[in-house]
Structure formats: C-alpha cells, structure tokens
Amino acid sequence: MDNFLAARSQMAVSLGFHIVFSCIGMVMPFFMAVAHFLWLRTGNENYKNITKAWSKGVAIFFATGAVSGTVLSFELGLLWPEFMKHAGPIFGMPFSLEGTAFFIEAIALGFFLYGWNTFNRWFHWVTGVVVGVSGIVSGILVVAANSWMNSPSGFDYINGKYTNIDPIKAMFNDAWFSQALHMTIAAFAATGFAVAGIHALMIIRKQNVGFHAAAFRITAMFAVVAAILQPLSGDISAKFVAKNQPAKLAAMEAHFKTQTYSPLIIGGVPDTKNQEVKYAVELPGMLSLMVNDKFDSEVIGLDRIPVKDQPPVAVTHYAFQIMVAAGMVMLGISLLYLLAVFKFKQWLSKEWLFKIFVAATPLGFLAVEAGWTVTEVGRQPWIIQGVMRTADAVTPMPGIMYSFYLFTVVYFSLAVAVTFLLGRQIKMVPVIYDHTNLNLQS
C-alpha cells in the first residue's frame, strides 16, 4: 500500500466512524429533550427514566465524537499538509465557530447531567435543548467546511496563489445549504431508526415494555418525519450536483453518454471499458426530469469529462444506489407507520410492526455511510473541486500505512467499547411500572 492510498484509507476509516458518533451525538439530545418535556408535562416516570437513560448515551457519544473529531482535525494537517497550507486560511472560519459551538454544547451538557434537583426544572430542560441545538450547529458548520471543498468560493486563484480571501463567502458557499440540510435530516432518520429498532427489540423480548414503548414512540416519530423529508432534500442536492459537479452526477448514475431524455438507472453493473451499464432497470427521461425538471433536457455524461478528471464510477454508483435503496425502504416503513397511527391503530401493538423496525435498525447509518462515500469519492480526483488534486495534497512523509493500521485498530476498539457501554446502559434501565398490552396509542 503506497502512502497516497494509505492516507485516503485512514481518512475514510476515521470519517466512517466519526460520522456515526457525531450523528447520534447531534440527534439524541433532541430525543432526550422531548422525553424530558413529556415528563415535566405528564409526570409519567417512564419519561423521566428515558430522559436519564438517554442522557447517559448522549454523554458517551459526546465523548467519542469529540475524540474522533479531534483526530480528524489533526489528520487534515498531518496527512494533507498542502491542502491545509492553502485552504486553511480560506475555510478556517467554520472550524473556529464549530469549536465555539462545541464548548457551548459541553457546558450545557454538564449543566444538564448534574442539574437534576438543583436547577429550576424548566431551566434544566432548556440546558438539554441547548445541547441539541449547539450539536446541530456544530455539525452544520463542519458540513459547511466540507461543502467548500465541493464548491470552492471566497477567493481568487491566480498564478497558483490564493488571493482576495473572503471567509464569509467561503463558509456560505453554493453547496452549504443543500449539504447541511441533507446531512441533518439524514442524521435524524439514521439515529431515529437505530434507536427505535433497539427499543422495538426490547418490546419483542417483553423487557420493561412500558419504558421501551414510550421510548419507541418518540424515536419512531422522529425517524418517520425525517425519512419522509429526506427525498425532498435529496432532490435539492441532486440538482446542485447536476449543475456544479456534472462528473459526480455522471458517476452516481453511471451515465456514460451525454443525451436528452436521459434515463434514470436503477441498479446495474457499470462497465467503464464498454461505456455501458449491464443488468440495470432504465426509466426513460426520468434523470432529465429529476435534475432539470424537463424530460427533454440534456444531462452531461462521462463522455464530456476528461478521463483524468473522472471519479471512480463503480464505487460512486454502487454507493449511490445503496443510499437511495436504504432511503426508499425507510420511506416505505415510515408511510406504513403513519398508516398505523392514523388508520389502523390495532397494528401499533402487533409484533410484526416491531420486527420491521428491528430489521431497519442499521438502514439509516448504511445510507449515511454510502452518502458520504458518494460525496467524497464522487469528488475525486479533486480535494478542492477544480482547484487542487488529492494526489497533490498528500504528505510526503513515509510510513503512513502503519498509521492507517494503528488507527483502524483504535477505531474498532472504540466502537466495541461504545457498544459495550450502551448495552450495559440498556440493561440498567429501572422498571417503574410496566404495560403488558404494548399500549403504543397513549
């Protein structure tokens, strides 16, 4: 393994783990705040226990997210020094502001964890809300920095030098809104389905049903709303990519030939040698309609992109298909759940409904990982779209492969430790009272 591949692999592993920790850390405080609010309003002890149980999970993921995020920050400088040398002064502002949001989140979390029976009960609840809001802001700021890599702005690039730097314009680049919206909704959908699936499993096992049924209701509704909104944000993102990163869109769709009435490809195996997709289902004109709102519009294919500027087609296409497929399954489950809530309430106590949520537990994070693969691999060979190539940014220092092996072991060990801690927290949930009829309608 050469240094370039090792550096890219290390960033991929680090980001792959961090994105799970950060998504859960961003979203769980909102679940916690809703449970806390319901306890304050109803006095139901199950909601109080849910709040305390979830607050411990929030603390765990705050710690792991902080550690893994700090590692990523160092890796940017150590693995990609040329990139940071030129890009740091331009897109450094969102990272600085993210640090401020992080400190606010840490202070608010401390207040919440140690404020029971100390603060005014509603002020205590507000501190939990602040944890969630600052976490979301922190995530959006990081995404703004990443979006700048896809849509660089706020500077002039003249004779190899970056001049006339405008950090505000760089932060609010053309891609930041679509990426931030898509990522935020994805975090809610992924975390919602994951947590709902865990509580659904506990309900099936008849363990502390009252507690888990109440927790399931909260997380399932977050998941359902997010999964329904996600295709809308995906449409906004696709239109941006079509306009600003045609090579990425072409790789996502394995769209080899520029044409009007471009078909939407479902599945298939890209054959880059023969410039075709085998075993795919094609929907004529649908790609043109989706990206340009007209069936007869032209969509740029890979034949218009120089070979040296084309991203890896197979990886990008497969990742995009996985993301869309997972999203569509979650959308279907969400519509089924809403049908149960508003039409067939008897389904809400059926075991098959909980089994569906259990099966869907990993879908959201599978979609998140696939989506980030599309974002990063689809931008290649550029680390800054159209400005700097990834190969030109990597460190010249030798031995990166050993760092990659070490960090891979560390991250997997961290994942095992987090899984163990969360499993222990689930088993330690106190039983205040229980329901034997799986009453999910109250």
Side-chain angles (χ1 to χ4, degrees):
M1 180 183 294
D2 61 28
N3 278 348
F4 181 49
L5 179 58
R8 291 186 63 188
S9 299
Q10 183 171 328
M11 285 297 295
V13 169
S14 301
L15 182 60
F17 279 97
H18 176 68
I19 199 169
V20 174
F21 300 147
S22 60
C23 281
I24 298 175
M26 286 164 54
V27 173
M28 281 299 296
F30 288 98
F31 297 172
M32 178 184 74
V34 170
H36 194 184
F37 177 82
L38 291 173
W39 173 62
L40 293 176
R41 289 296 301 272
T42 67
N44 186 325
E45 288 294 314
N46 273 327
Y47 290 126
K48 180 180 180 181
N49 289 329
I50 291 169
T51 304
K52 289 192 172 183
W54 281 347
S55 69
K56 294 175 182 177
V58 169
I60 291 171
F61 282 104
F62 176 82
T64 53
V67 171
S68 58
T70 302
V71 170
L72 276 170
S73 299
F74 281 110
E75 286 178 342
L76 281 173
L78 295 174
L79 299 179
W80 313 101
E82 284 301 309
F83 167 69
M84 292 304 295
K85 174 183 176 182
H86 298 288
I90 304 172
F91 81 148
M93 178 172 285
F95 279 126
S96 300
L97 294 176
E98 190 273 338
T100 302
F102 172 80
F103 283 123
I104 294 173
E105 183 181 6
I107 294 168
L109 181 59
F111 281 170
F112 187 83
L113 292 176
Y114 297 103
W116 291 96
N117 304 318
T118 301
F119 296 132
N120 172 276
R121 54 189 300 192
W122 286 105
F123 175 79
H124 185 222
W125 173 75
V126 168
T127 63
V129 175
V130 172
V131 173
V133 172
S134 56
I136 289 291
V137 171
S138 179
I140 290 174
L141 288 168
V142 171
V143 171
N146 177 268
S147 66
W148 178 84
M149 297 163 69
N150 292 307
S151 180
S153 60
F155 66 96
D156 293 323
Y157 185 63
I158 303 173
N159 297 326
K161 295 184 178 180
Y162 299 80
T163 60
N164 301 323
I165 294 173
D166 184 346
I168 299 295
K169 187 176 180 180
M171 183 167 65
F172 295 109
N173 57 79
D174 291 341
W176 85 269
F177 175 76
S178 59
Q179 275 196 220
L181 179 66
H182 197 58
M183 184 63 235
T184 302
I185 296 175
F188 275 95
T191 307
F193 271 100
V195 180
I198 293 172
H199 290 293
L201 180 62
M202 295 299 103
I203 293 171
I204 292 172
R205 293 178 176 178
K206 304 293 191 297
Q207 296 181 7
N208 202 357
V209 176
F211 173 93
H212 292 292
F216 175 85
R217 284 197 301 271
I218 296 171
T219 53
M221 194 52 65
F222 270 101
V224 164
V225 173
I228 292 173
L229 293 176
Q230 189 66 314
L232 301 178
S233 70
D235 180 66
I236 295 172
S237 294
K239 284 180 168 58
F240 169 82
V241 171
K243 180 181 178 181
N244 295 276
Q245 294 179 291
K248 179 184 288 188
L249 179 72
M252 288 161 55
E253 294 289 345
H255 184 58
F256 289 104
K257 298 178 181 178
T258 303
Q259 62 186 97
T260 57
Y261 295 97
S262 298
L264 180 68
I265 293 177
I266 301 176
V269 178
D271 182 351
T272 54
K273 181 178 180 180
N274 296 310
Q275 302 287 288
E276 63 180 4
V277 184
K278 299 177 179 178
Y279 318 117
V281 175
E282 295 189 3
L283 304 179
M286 287 303 296
L287 182 59
S288 294
L289 178 66
M290 291 177 66
V291 299
N292 296 317
D293 298 323
K294 294 189 295 184
F295 282 106
D296 60 348
S297 64
E298 181 181 81
V299 178
I300 296 174
L302 288 167
D303 57 344
R304 292 267 188 94
I305 311 296
V307 175
K308 63 184 179 66
D309 294 336
Q310 292 181 9
V313 177
V315 174
T316 308
H317 177 70
Y318 293 142
F320 180 68
Q321 294 292 311
I322 290 171
M323 180 187 70
V324 172
M328 289 298 100
V329 173
M330 289 188 291
L331 175 61
I333 295 172
S334 299
L335 296 176
L336 177 67
Y337 185 74
L338 288 181
L339 193 62
V341 170
F342 293 107
K343 183 70 174 178
F344 302 103
K345 293 186 181 296
Q346 67 273 19
W347 291 358
L348 294 172
S349 59
K350 300 297 183 181
E351 189 171 295
W352 59 263
L353 183 65
F354 301 115
K355 287 183 177 179
I356 289 175
F357 274 90
V358 172
T361 299
L363 281 181
F365 284 110
L366 180 65
V368 167
E369 297 286 7
W372 272 102
T373 300
V374 172
T375 298
E376 297 304 301
V377 176
R379 190 181 61 245
Q380 301 307 312
W382 305 100
I383 192 168
I384 307 175
Q385 181 70 41
V387 177
M388 177 183 287
R389 292 180 179 271
T390 309
D392 296 332
V394 71
T395 178
M397 296 299 292
I400 301 300
M401 69 180 71
Y402 302 110
S403 173
F404 164 58
Y405 297 146
L406 174 63
F407 275 85
T408 299
V409 171
V410 169
Y411 273 110
F412 273 100
S413 301
L414 184 61
V416 171
V418 169
T419 302
F420 169 76
L421 289 173
L422 291 177
R424 191 177 68 171
Q425 290 301 322
I426 292 173
K427 293 177 181 177
M428 291 173 62
V429 169
V431 179
I432 298 300
Y433 62 88
D434 212 343
H435 296 298
T436 57
N437 61 350
L438 306 182
N439 181 15
L440 297 185
Q441 300 177 42
S442 58

